[in-house]
Amino acid sequence: MSIRKRLLYGYLLSIVLIVIPFSGAIYWFVENHLQYIVTHQLQQDMAIIDKTLHDYPTEFDELGQPGYVELFKVTRAGAVIYSSSDWEFEDLDHAIPPRGSAPLRRALTGDHQAYLILEKPISVGADSFIASVAHPVAGMDNTLTVLRQGIIAGLSIALVLALLGGFIFTQRVLSPFQRLANKAKTISSANLSERLPMDDPADEFGHLAQVFNDTFARLEQSFEQLKRFTQDVSHELRTPLTILRGIGEQALTAPEDNRVTREALGTILEEIDRLSNLVESLLTLSRIESGHYPLNKTRHDLCQLSTEVVECLRILADEKHQSLRIETEPPILLEIDVGLMRQAIMNLVYNAIQYTPVNGRINVKVFHRSQHIAIEVSDDGPGIATVHHSRIFERFYRVHSDRSRATGGAGLGLAITAWIAKIHVAQITLENNPTAGVTFRIRWVAPTNQ
Ligand code: ADP
């Protein structure tokens, strides 16, 4: 059942549950009150009969006059001693229901006049009488009938009004909901930047719209990322594939020339290497983003790890006649995933070697100060202009794409390094050196886990 119907039925039910018992109570109160008035009158009449029987038994004639006790009858041993003329006229003896034995009962005459009759045994000395007094209840019945009709009419009108009111009310209450649903239906991947309307951000609908809008914002961001990622990946793959094709075609034009073929094969292998690295990095990134990268943290010496990385890459620095130095302190133990941290340090040192010209100087420093632990990799290469600093850790971001292609980078190394720093609760920063080059720093704020 729709919320609207449920609200409407609930609303009607509560109105019915309030109004019907309330009307019933009013009816019951009025009926009892009117009956009390008549009964009281009958009891007063009965008291007069009683007194007359005891004190003035000869004055029953006067009693039957208008304004006194108009409807009464007195019997002794079944024989009527006296009955007022009105009693006779109304033929009340035949109106009394034969089965009725209660002292107070209702009776209906032949011409459909309703009476309330009170009967009472009265003893005077050795004589036993039965006195009956009656009172017409047509007025009371009419009042009750009018009241009943009024209540039924009022109830019907109230219910119709409540139904109408409930309809308008639920319509008004639920219309923002409908608008939200209508708008949400129109939002797809093509227009994810659109948002749901919010009349009042403080009410429940506003809150709901806000929650949806936040979800849309996240979806939009993910879509954008995915789009950029796909574009970047296709762009990255297109270039080496074009190169491979070009080289292959070139080699085919001179199949008998061994030198050309060997050179082509060499370039093809280089491109395949580049492609493998790219695919490797992309795999790492996609595992990172899906949040399923298995972490294996152990307590390890950061100095030892950095030294290993530096020694491993020294051959590349030597090729470029660069000086590659490392400064470390006594063991600095940290909870790290050794494989990942090695990769992060390697990316930084490798970049330094790659982007620093021949004869350049690269320094790696691992230290522990009172407030922090850090690994710094600095070089005296070209540095990175400050405009690029905010984006340098984004995927596929390269300062000079042409030159980077020549050196083989796809712009993923720093993105992966930044993620590794992040999952090690460390900060990664960079700053240009005062004279030349750049310094990358991975920094743990407090040495709590040493
Ligand atoms: P790449 O695979 O292109 O090296 P990275 O993410 O490692 O990708 O680096 C992104 C860009 O940052 C590089 O293309 C380069 O322009 C710049 N960069 C990184 N390290 C250095 C450095 N030590 N000196 C100068 N530029 C650097």
Side-chain angles (χ1 to χ4, degrees), residues 347-348 350-356 379 381-384 392 394 396-400 403-404 407-415 417 437-438 440:
N347 286 352
L348 294 182
Y350 182 80
N351 275 353
I353 295 171
Q354 204 173 29
Y355 296 109
T356 303
D379 59 58
I384 298 172
I392 202 77
E394 287 178 17
F396 298 111
Y397 191 81
R398 289 181 303 214
V399 175
H400 306 285
R403 196 182 64 187
S404 295
T407 50
L412 292 175
L414 287 181
T417 309
V438 66
F440 280 91

Side-chain angles (χ1 to χ4, degrees), residues 344-382:
I345 304 169
M346 194 166 271
N347 286 352
L348 294 182
V349 181
Y350 182 80
N351 275 353
I353 295 171
Q354 204 173 29
Y355 296 109
T356 303
V358 177
N359 295 327
R361 277 204 306 268
I362 297 146
N363 274 322
V364 179
K365 207 169 151 191
V366 188
F367 56 90
H368 181 194
R369 297 283 171 272
S370 57
Q371 292 301 310
H372 61 266
I373 291 170
I375 305 172
E376 277 181 6
V377 179
S378 57
D379 59 58
D380 63 353

Side-chain angles (χ1 to χ4, degrees), residues 27 37 43 138 154 167 206 226 252 283 305 321 356 414 422:
Y27 184 82
I37 292 172
Q43 278 163 350
F167 196 75
L226 197 71
L252 272 181
L283 260 174
L305 184 67
H321 307 290
T356 303
L414 287 181
K422 190 175 161 201

Side-chain angles (χ1 to χ4, degrees), residues 138-156:
M140 180 179 101
D141 283 356
N142 280 345
T143 307
L144 288 177
T145 307
V146 170
L147 182 65
R148 235 178 1 249
Q149 286 168 346
I151 285 177
I152 290 171
L155 263 180
S156 315

